[in-house]
Amino acid sequence: MKFRVVAVGHRMPAWVDAGFTEYAGRMPREARVELVALKPAARGGPVKRVLEMEGERILAALPAGCVKVVLDERGTLISTMELSRRIARWRESGRDVAFIVGGADGLDPGVKQSADWVWSLSPLTLPHGLARVALAEQLYRAHSLLHNHPYHRGNG
């Protein structure tokens, strides 16, 4: 199983790159986390068109047959324990999983509609770089739970 994070925004502060790399690097070979950072569409036209262009790039970057998970503040809130159960189900299905993080203006509605699941890391609006780091950490934490690794000491 492979996790792919497809995110609009290619120039992040060093702390974002370091945080993401730290947690992605902790993942075992059988659950690698790969980042695909897409350049944002040029601004200047209608926001709807910007989102459409970014949406086309996002969809083109997704592996065929993957589980598509959109990160959105209005998505479903779950615990880390529930995330670990979802990861176990995805692993059993044999499908890779792509997590989609939109750009500064959000995501094209078509990308959201194509998602298998819309997930909220938090009801707060997070900077996209912070969302990347939080996502990588939660993937590592949930995977640790599945393997009884002592990293996760919480109760769910």
Side-chain angles (χ1 to χ4, degrees):
M1 157 181 251
K2 187 189 224 178
F3 298 109
R4 180 177 284 188
V5 178
V6 178
V8 176
H10 65 295
R11 291 191 185 147
M12 290 287 130
W15 67 266
V16 170
D17 293 335
F20 185 89
T21 300
E22 171 67 26
Y23 290 107
R26 292 182 185 193
M27 294 292 279
R29 191 173 339 161
E30 70 273 6
R32 288 283 177 221
V33 178
E34 169 191 32
L35 174 65
V36 177
L38 302 174
K39 186 176 179 180
R43 299 300 186 252
V47 171
K48 181 180 178 190
R49 182 62 190 135
V50 168
L51 292 177
E52 287 171 355
M53 289 187 300
E54 290 176 351
E56 290 167 6
R57 289 184 197 161
I58 289 167
L59 294 174
L62 300 177
C66 71
V67 175
K68 293 183 259 333
V69 179
V70 163
L71 272 66
D72 185 282
E73 67 191 36
R74 291 167 298 280
T76 304
L77 288 168
I78 61 167
S79 68
T80 302
M81 187 64 72
E82 175 57 28
L83 178 61
S84 70
R85 288 190 284 267
R86 283 179 183 257
I87 288 172
R89 288 193 302 269
W90 293 331
R91 184 178 58 205
E92 290 169 10
S93 77
R95 294 169 68 194
D96 290 336
V97 181
F99 296 92
I100 302 166
V101 181
D105 294 310
L107 274 172
D108 179 61
V111 174
K112 288 183 186 180
Q113 290 169 356
S114 75
D116 296 294
W117 179 42
V118 180
W119 176 30
S120 174
L121 291 173
S122 168
L124 301 171
T125 302
L126 300 175
H128 294 180
L130 183 57
R132 287 184 195 184
V133 176
L135 171 60
E137 191 278 337
Q138 283 299 296
L139 290 174
Y140 175 68
R141 182 175 296 275
H143 191 271
S144 296
L145 266 167
L146 288 173
H147 294 87
N148 298 314
H149 186 279
Y151 177 75
H152 178 75
R153 292 186 179 92
N155 56 7

